[in-house]
Amino acid sequence: MGFTAVEKVLGRASGRPGVRAGDVVYPNPDRVVIHDVVVRENKEKLDQIGITRLTAAKKVMMVTDHDVVYGNQRAADRGAFNRKAAAQWGVGKFYDAGQGGHGHIFPIEQGLLLPGMFYFDNDFHAANSGAVGAFGLRAGAEISRVLATGTTWVEVPKTVLLEISGQLKPGVQARDVGFYLGRCIKSGVIPMDLDYRVLEYAGELDQFGLGARVALCSTPVELRAAGIFIPPGEEVLAYCRRHAKMDFTPVFSDADADYEARYQMDVSAIEPQVALPGAVSNSVDVSEVVGTPVDHALIGSCGSGMYEDLLCAASLIKGRHVAPGVRLFIVPGSERSTQRMAEDGLAKIFLDAGAMILPAGCGPCNDAVVGPVAAGEVSISTATNNNVGRFGSREAKLFLGSPMTVAASAVLGKIADSRELSFDTALQKQMETAYV
Amino acid sequence: MSEFIWSLRGRCYKLGDNIPHPGGVIPASLVTARETDPKVLIPRLFEETDPGFSTRCKPGDLIVTGRNFGMGSKAPGYIAMQALGLGLLCESMSVQAYREAISTGLRVLSPCDGISLLCENGDDIEANFQTGVFINHTRGIEHSFPPVREGLQDLLAKGGTIAWLEHWWRTTGSMAKLEN
């Protein structure tokens, strides 16, 4: 019986080739990533013990994405604390406020996370690295142990395989595939248990560019997958080779790998999906909710924060205006995307339309540090999830859709099927070469 | 250092399937606040389903749960259980929930397939977390479950992640030449 990609990666990282799902290993990570909001609690925990030096500090990347603009004094104090912590620990890479961007987006764009790599992160959205065939695992509170000692225990996850067949219809995007998958799991049509599993995609994957591959990671992570694995194709590998900041060796599952289960999904008939408030798996065809008035819209987050997402939103918004009474936030995933928006004219398209461009990072999709919703309001967004109270009042209704659905809804002031609007073909064409 | 006690014996406290950590184990407000102080957490354990639980339980008592206990990566309830000297035996729990539980130093066995059929509330039960042997003294039943895995026994015996780190720093870390 062959090995899954995650078994191979963890086997390599722990110096124990041949590990199987269920084994407990202590892998030596290629990187360690910690996000701004949890630095203090971990630093204080280690300081209390007297641990002031990190094992392999040079591997550590500290990113600032959850609260970039410091909406209050507490956040500014946290920023100051983090700056001092980065210096005291001597971390390899410190991305301060306004640098880098979203920690689950920009490292992928910059060739800091690469095929076959293994890394620890405090946050489970590290699974985004599956878009390039890397594995980022959440260590949670134990990131302190990883920082101090260089590792912690990992139970090698089981892998479930999802074979994609068919091509998406025009106007249907990777986020729709995720929402549809969530819907199929919830209804039992696909009896998949993702809890601490790696979801490996297979089949007709060439239709998904790098940005779409990141989007494919979003819903499974919210359904508690430990990781996602999308075998990198030639285009992704070429991008990674061009931007790589270190050597890497892609890893793939063996043909006879020991998958826990195999499933199929035909994506050719999927309609644009909208996740109803409360869970990513509450999704329905957009036609069921078309016309629902909205107050708040957001394009960004770890689920849709790639440059492709901004291009496709701009292709619909160009020449239009955000509807009266709607506030639309654009949150690029990286500082590089913000720069590109300025260079390529996207920033002007969004500003002309009356949208608000926020600094790169998580935006409202983290405890509503910026741009929250009020009680009674309706939001449609590409946030990573729409759990009650995710960004503001628990009495608000949070719908999710693809970047195209959200863009169309923002300009029409109500949930809309983007296929009813014309779009700028040149901008959509650029999506194909967003990451080369 | 005193020898770690691998066996617990006490009364069985039984729960069903799919108990969420917020609400089902401890009030959601404490989960959101990321409260870690056992003194704050102890009186609130099972507050919404069984007020006063902490005043009635005794060290050694064992919480026996159905499938998918805790439903995710939250820790405050486990901190309270550990501080009360309780043990936890689950039909199943998510790996992330298990990680949180054992990190607090809580004695926990999961998966224990079928354990719900082997005991009832109030039974005199015993579990050895190093061997996985479970005994129901009330009913005269003995059964073996998978023990705490070898790679994690040291973590548990040291008292959870913080205590493990303290020990590591004292004995190894502070002396080590760090690879940077």
Side-chain angles (χ1 to χ4, degrees):
Chain A
M1 190 60 94
F3 293 90
T4 64
V6 72
E7 287 170 338
K8 290 185 187 180
V9 168
L10 286 172
R12 190 262 305 159
S14 55
R16 284 179 54 194
V19 298
R20 291 289 187 183
D23 290 348
V24 169
V25 295
Y26 286 81
N28 183 18
D30 297 301
R31 287 195 191 284
V32 177
V33 177
I34 182 165
H35 295 253
D36 49 341
V37 286
V38 300
V39 172
R40 183 190 278 264
E41 65 193 53
N42 284 290
K43 179 83 165 60
E44 288 177 346
K45 204 190 298 180
L46 294 177
D47 283 350
Q48 214 163 4
I49 299 171
I51 301 177
T52 49
R53 297 178 301 160
L54 307 188
T55 298
K58 294 291 172 245
K59 284 182 192 172
V60 176
M61 267 174 64
M62 195 187 284
V63 300
T64 307
D65 53 11
H66 281 61
D67 194 348
V68 181
V69 291
Y70 304 159
N72 54 47
Q73 189 60 50
R74 197 168 143 257
D77 293 344
R78 178 167 55 213
F81 182 95
N82 291 355
R83 247 162 254 132
K84 229 187 259 174
Q88 282 177 6
W89 276 342
V91 300
K93 291 182 187 297
F94 172 49
Y95 294 91
D96 205 341
Q99 298 168 14
H102 196 305
H104 298 125
I105 298 284
F106 83 83
I108 295 174
E109 291 181 340
Q110 293 190 12
L112 292 161
L113 297 175
L114 295 156
M117 272 181 55
F118 170 72
Y119 84 102
F120 281 115
D121 190 304
N122 61 277
D123 186 284
F124 65 103
H125 296 100
N128 261 14
S129 56
V132 291
F135 282 102
L137 271 187
R138 172 189 183 275
E142 276 178 278
I143 199 74
S144 56
R145 178 170 172 176
V146 175
L147 291 166
T149 72
T151 187
T152 188
W153 67 277
V154 169
E155 179 177 321
V156 180
K158 295 172 185 165
T159 299
V160 296
L161 187 73
L162 181 66
E163 188 156 14
I164 299 287
S165 62
Q167 298 286 313
L168 292 179
K169 291 192 288 200
V172 181
Q173 299 191 276
R175 283 301 292 274
D176 294 311
V177 174
F179 296 137
Y180 187 74
L181 173 65
R183 169 183 175 170
C184 291
I185 292 173
K186 189 179 178 190
S187 67
V189 172
I190 297 180
M192 182 188 280
D193 182 359
L194 282 174
D195 185 21
Y196 200 71
R197 270 55 167 200
V198 168
L199 174 66
E200 178 169 335
Y201 285 95
E204 297 187 46
L205 300 178
D206 287 346
Q207 60 190 311
F208 301 109
L210 184 56
R213 287 170 185 242
V214 169
L216 284 178
C217 296
S218 182
T219 293
V221 173
E222 297 299 330
L223 297 176
R224 297 167 54 187
I228 315 298
F229 180 69
I230 308 179
E234 223 10 83
E235 275 182 33
V236 171
L237 288 173
Y239 179 84
C240 290
R241 277 194 288 267
R242 203 163 299 128
H243 297 271
K245 300 292 188 292
M246 61 194 282
D247 292 338
F248 68 95
T249 308
V251 169
F252 299 91
S253 294
D254 294 327
D256 62 342
D258 191 7
Y259 296 109
E260 183 188 32
R262 294 166 186 258
Y263 303 94
Q264 265 114 35
M265 190 162 85
D266 179 0
V267 300
S268 63
I270 296 178
E271 291 286 297
Q273 300 289 299
V274 170
L276 306 182
V280 291
S281 51
N282 284 348
S283 76
V284 296
D285 289 355
V286 66
S287 57
E288 290 190 33
V289 284
V290 158
T292 307
V294 298
D295 306 288
H296 176 276
L298 153 69
I299 294 169
S301 92
C302 51
S304 300
M306 297 289 279
Y307 200 63
E308 278 170 58
D309 300 305
L310 297 167
L311 280 167
C312 88
S315 76
L316 276 160
I317 287 173
K318 187 176 180 183
R320 297 193 169 96
H321 202 277
V322 175
V326 177
R327 50 195 197 279
L328 168 63
F329 296 100
I330 304 290
V331 191
S334 64
E335 289 296 330
R336 177 72 194 118
S337 280
T338 306
Q339 283 172 352
R340 287 176 77 177
M341 289 207 309
E343 291 159 9
D344 297 354
L346 266 63
K348 184 162 181 354
I349 292 171
F350 289 129
L351 294 173
D352 284 349
M356 289 173 272
I357 301 175
L358 295 178
C362 302
C365 185
N366 158 55
D367 275 353
V369 294
V370 285
V373 284
E377 286 194 322
V378 175
S379 168
I380 184 153
S381 77
T382 63
T384 187
N385 74 54
N386 58 345
N387 298 341
V388 176
R390 174 79 186 174
F391 38 92
S393 170
R394 295 178 66 83
E395 277 77 49
K397 285 187 179 155
L398 309 179
F399 292 86
L400 299 179
S402 70
M404 281 162 105
T405 300
V406 175
S409 304
V411 296
L412 293 177
K414 54 196 180 185
I415 295 179
D417 186 335
S418 69
R419 295 171 299 185
E420 288 164 15
L421 297 182
S422 60
F423 55 82
D424 186 288
T425 48
L427 284 170
Q428 287 224 351
K429 188 81 188 148
Q430 278 183 45
M431 288 170 65
E432 292 166 21
T433 52
Y435 291 100
V436 289
Chain B
M1 191 179 141
S2 60
E3 198 65 9
F4 183 72
I5 298 164
W6 284 101
S7 272
L8 291 181
R9 180 171 176 177
R11 286 169 307 168
C12 167
Y13 185 75
K14 224 170 128 176
L15 299 168
D17 292 337
N18 300 314
I19 307 282
H21 205 103
V25 178
I26 206 148
S29 57
L30 295 171
V31 176
T32 311
R34 303 164 79 105
E35 181 60 58
T36 57
D37 183 352
K39 285 195 292 296
V40 176
L41 296 168
I42 283 173
R44 314 289 300 274
L45 185 61
F46 298 123
E47 182 182 80
E48 291 177 20
T49 49
D50 189 5
F53 170 84
S54 66
T55 61
R56 292 189 301 277
C57 69
K58 293 195 174 63
D61 283 355
L62 291 156
I63 298 164
V64 175
T65 83
R67 306 198 69 76
N68 194 22
F69 181 68
M71 299 176 72
S73 52
K74 307 293 178 217
Y78 307 126
I79 294 172
M81 291 177 199
Q82 196 274 345
L84 283 164
L86 309 176
L88 179 63
L89 309 169
C90 303
E91 291 259 2
S92 73
M93 70 197 303
S94 150
V95 173
Q96 294 291 16
Y98 180 81
R99 173 179 284 283
E100 298 290 344
I102 201 160
S103 290
T104 68
L106 176 67
R107 292 167 180 83
V108 53
L109 286 186
S110 177
C112 300
D113 272 329
I115 192 166
S116 299
L117 303 171
L118 302 179
C119 51
E120 291 303 333
N121 264 331
D123 283 359
D124 171 13
I125 61 174
E126 181 175 355
N128 184 311
F129 295 82
Q130 193 171 31
T131 62
V133 171
F134 167 83
I135 303 166
N136 185 332
H137 294 283
T138 303
R139 290 164 206 276
I141 297 169
E142 184 169 327
H143 192 85
S144 276
F145 295 109
V148 172
R149 279 165 296 180
E150 218 169 295
L152 298 177
Q153 289 195 0
D154 184 46
L155 170 65
L156 185 56
K158 295 285 190 304
T161 300
I162 298 290
W164 185 94
L165 270 175
E166 284 168 352
H167 182 264
W168 171 83
W169 183 247
R170 232 180 14 250
T171 57
T172 315
S174 55
M175 267 80 83
K177 189 174 176 301
L178 302 175
E179 56 161 296
N180 271 318

